[in-house]
Structures are given as structure tokens and as C-alpha cells.
Amino acid sequence: MATTMDLTALTTRRSVRKFKADPVPQELMQQILAKAVLAPSAMGKNPWKFYVVSSPEVLDKVNAQTKKPSYGAPTLVFTTLVNPIPGFEMYDTALAHENLCIAAAAFNVGSVILAYNYPTDTTPTLKTILGVPAEEMLMPVGIAMGYPDMHTATPNRQISAVYL
């Protein structure tokens, strides 16, 4: 049975849009990614591959290419899929990303999911910048990550449900 402590990261996770410059250590990112891959996926394929960008030079190239704000995050995570079940690509990605964000919160690392407008003509360039092989499907979302330099209060959300 879940305890209150088990659910702390779930109830306190917030989208962070202002980060400290301190990078997230690779060892900690590995622990967070280990929780991301525990997400369910269509037919249990676990099709994810994560590209963790923390090099300032690569971050600059990615930000220039995507023209999307990354809120000063010292780490960006992109996900590709290898042999996914057709039609389930976004579901598989969303489930892994939610696990990743909740795990990050458990380690006091902030995150915000970034939606991109590709596949477009920028996709091949972004794949080249990240070193993504042609056979991998680059998903149109990334995650900005780092140590929060802001605090967001937990909103009072109402449950809307119909029980039959």
C-alpha cells in the first residue's frame, strides 16, 4: 500500500521555468533515467533511447535550431524511439517522460516538458546535432532539467469524475 512519503514527488512536482546554472551530474541523470524506463509501453517494447544534452556548445546549437525557450536549463533530454508499435509513439513517450519528471522531483531536480513543432524541416538538423541515427524516431518533445531557481506553489486542483 502506498504511503504519503511514496507520493511526495508526485504531489510536489511542478513545471520549472527558471533554473540554476549548476549541471545535473551524469550519475544522478542515470538514476532518473532508470526510473523513466520503468514506464509501461505498448506491448512492453520499451522503445526509448534518451539523448541527454549538457554540453554548453550542444545546448547552444539545439536552442538555436529549435527556437524554443529552454528556460536556462543546463540539461535537455530528447527521446527517440527504436522500433515502436505504430500508433503508440506519443503514448509511450508521454509515459516515460512523466516517470522521468516525477523521478527528477524526487531527487530535487526540476523539469518542464517542452513541445516542439517537428517533424518539420528542422528534424534532420536536430538529429544531426544530437547524433541520432536515421532509423530512430526523434519525438517532438524534450525535457528541460536542472536545479530550480524558483518555487511554484502546489495548486488546489479539483477532481472531475463520473462514477457509474
Side-chain angles (χ1 to χ4, degrees):
M1 176 172 215
T3 66
T4 302
M5 185 172 287
D6 294 332
L7 301 176
T8 300
L10 181 65
T11 58
T12 60
R13 191 219 65 82
R14 293 286 159 265
S15 293
V16 174
R17 291 182 175 86
K18 186 176 180 189
F19 296 92
K20 295 178 182 174
D22 305 327
V24 180
Q26 185 173 340
E27 300 79 24
L28 181 54
M29 280 303 306
Q30 193 66 22
Q31 290 179 52
I32 293 168
L33 292 172
K35 303 306 180 204
V37 300
L38 295 176
S41 63
M43 305 287 293
K45 295 277 279 182
N46 303 339
W48 314 286
K49 184 174 179 183
F50 300 99
Y51 288 78
V52 180
V53 181
S54 56
S55 158
E57 297 80 18
V58 180
L59 284 170
D60 288 345
K61 289 178 184 178
V62 168
N63 288 329
Q65 183 63 35
T66 62
K67 298 180 177 76
K68 294 290 276 189
S70 60
Y71 306 104
T75 303
L76 292 175
V77 178
F78 291 92
T79 304
T80 65
L81 301 182
V82 182
N83 299 317
I85 303 293
F88 289 89
E89 296 90 345
M90 288 305 290
Y91 301 110
D92 287 348
T93 302
L95 290 164
H97 284 184
E98 181 67 7
N99 270 24
L100 189 150
C101 291
I102 292 169
F107 289 107
N108 298 312
V109 173
S111 63
V112 63
I113 295 175
L114 308 170
Y116 295 101
N117 296 323
Y118 57 80
T120 66
D121 58 348
T122 64
T123 302
T125 304
L126 189 55
K127 285 180 83 169
T128 299
I129 292 169
L130 298 173
V132 176
E135 65 274 7
E136 293 179 21
M137 177 188 292
L138 179 62
M139 298 308 293
V141 290
I143 302 174
M145 298 181 69
Y147 296 101
D149 196 15
M150 62 174 279
H151 174 74
T152 304
T154 302
N156 182 15
R157 297 200 173 139
Q158 301 300 313
I159 298 169
S160 177
V162 175
Y163 297 93
L164 303 173

